[in-house]
Amino acid sequence: MKNMGHFVTFEGGDGSGKSTQVKRLATALKMRDLDVVLTREPGGAPGADEIRKLVLTGEPDRWDVMTETLLMFAARNDHVTRTIKPALAKKKWVICDRFTDSTYAYQGAGGGLERESIRRLESLVLDDFRPDLTLILDIAPDVGLERTKSRRHDETRFEKFNLAFHKRLRDSYLAIARRDPMRCVVIDAAADEKTVAAGIWNAVAERFKLK
């Protein structure tokens, strides 16, 4: 296993604790002498980071949903080309905070863009490239949004959307997990941080036969 690279993504609504748990998993893997690249979306490469500033700041109505989706896939193409695939080619583990499932949730279920439109963009940009494992951190939207109030950052655009929007996100993520149970594992993110981390590690260890 040490000589193999894997692509693991974290998904979930705002306030689900992804950023914390991504770092915890990366630390656990490094402790086992595995090479890890920690990254995120939108972002993860110079051009993609510039697009991140455009889509995560400002007011909710800054972009219409198609423009927003095109920006997300432009950033994703840069990210995959410049960061993810080169790391995997070097047999590294890539741990990513959000990937294409977020587009299906946020711009699809949340923003109302048809799933088929997203699927066609995904096919054009990514072909058959997908994560080996996706961990979906599930939490009630109102609880997650309450958690975000303690954050100090300016990337708050999606946090400003109403509760109904965030409920659609949660339903979408759970639907994604049901459609693709071989790739996705749902983790109860309402538990305490250590319990969530243990559930994540168990899922990763089982999938990749780690001790």
Side-chain angles (χ1 to χ4, degrees):
M1 189 62 62
K2 181 178 179 179
N3 294 321
M4 295 179 66
H6 294 290
F7 182 30
V8 178
T9 57
F10 279 69
E11 297 286 356
D14 293 278
S16 59
K18 291 182 295 71
S19 297
T20 297
Q21 295 299 335
V22 162
K23 293 173 184 175
R24 290 189 69 127
L25 176 60
T27 298
L29 291 170
K30 289 176 182 178
M31 289 176 63
R32 288 160 175 82
D33 200 26
L34 295 166
D35 291 328
V36 179
V37 172
L38 193 58
T39 189
R40 66 181 183 178
E41 287 210 347
D49 284 333
E50 290 300 312
I51 295 173
R52 181 183 180 90
K53 299 173 186 176
L54 297 176
V55 295
L56 296 190
T57 61
E59 295 305 309
D61 62 355
R62 181 176 186 179
W63 308 106
D64 68 52
V65 69
M66 178 55 81
T67 303
E68 187 175 277
T69 303
L70 292 170
L71 286 169
M72 290 294 189
F73 272 107
R76 185 163 297 131
N77 184 70
D78 190 51
H79 186 204
V80 169
T81 302
R82 296 178 182 272
T83 302
I84 297 175
K85 285 187 175 180
L88 293 173
K90 294 178 181 177
K91 310 301 181 184
K92 296 182 179 182
W93 285 63
V94 177
I95 311 300
C96 188
D97 185 345
R98 297 197 183 285
F99 198 60
T100 309
D101 292 317
S102 280
T103 303
Y104 282 103
Y106 279 76
Q107 286 73 49
L113 187 63
E114 292 184 2
R115 181 177 177 79
E116 177 60 18
S117 296
I118 299 173
R119 188 202 64 76
R120 286 184 298 196
L121 285 169
E122 179 185 15
S123 178
L124 176 65
V125 173
L126 300 178
D127 198 9
D128 293 325
F129 182 69
R130 306 177 78 204
D132 298 308
L133 173 66
T134 296
L135 300 154
I136 297 175
L137 273 58
D138 179 52
I139 194 168
D142 55 335
V143 176
L145 290 173
E146 184 65 27
R147 287 182 177 181
T148 66
K149 292 180 180 179
S150 63
R151 296 176 179 172
R152 293 186 178 181
H153 63 90
D154 59 358
E155 295 178 344
T156 59
R157 179 168 170 258
F158 286 108
E159 294 169 19
K160 296 175 183 177
F161 281 78
N162 62 31
L163 185 59
F165 175 90
H166 290 275
K167 287 180 177 178
R168 293 196 298 274
L169 298 185
R170 185 190 194 188
D171 291 343
S172 177
Y173 278 125
L174 294 176
I176 288 169
R178 288 192 297 270
R179 283 194 297 269
D180 199 349
M182 295 299 293
R183 174 175 64 90
C184 301
V185 176
V186 177
I187 304 291
D188 180 7
D192 64 88
E193 185 179 313
K194 291 182 68 175
T195 300
V196 174
I200 289 169
W201 178 253
N202 289 339
V204 172
E206 180 178 356
R207 180 64 55 91
F208 301 110
K209 311 303 179 187
L210 300 175
K211 295 182 179 179

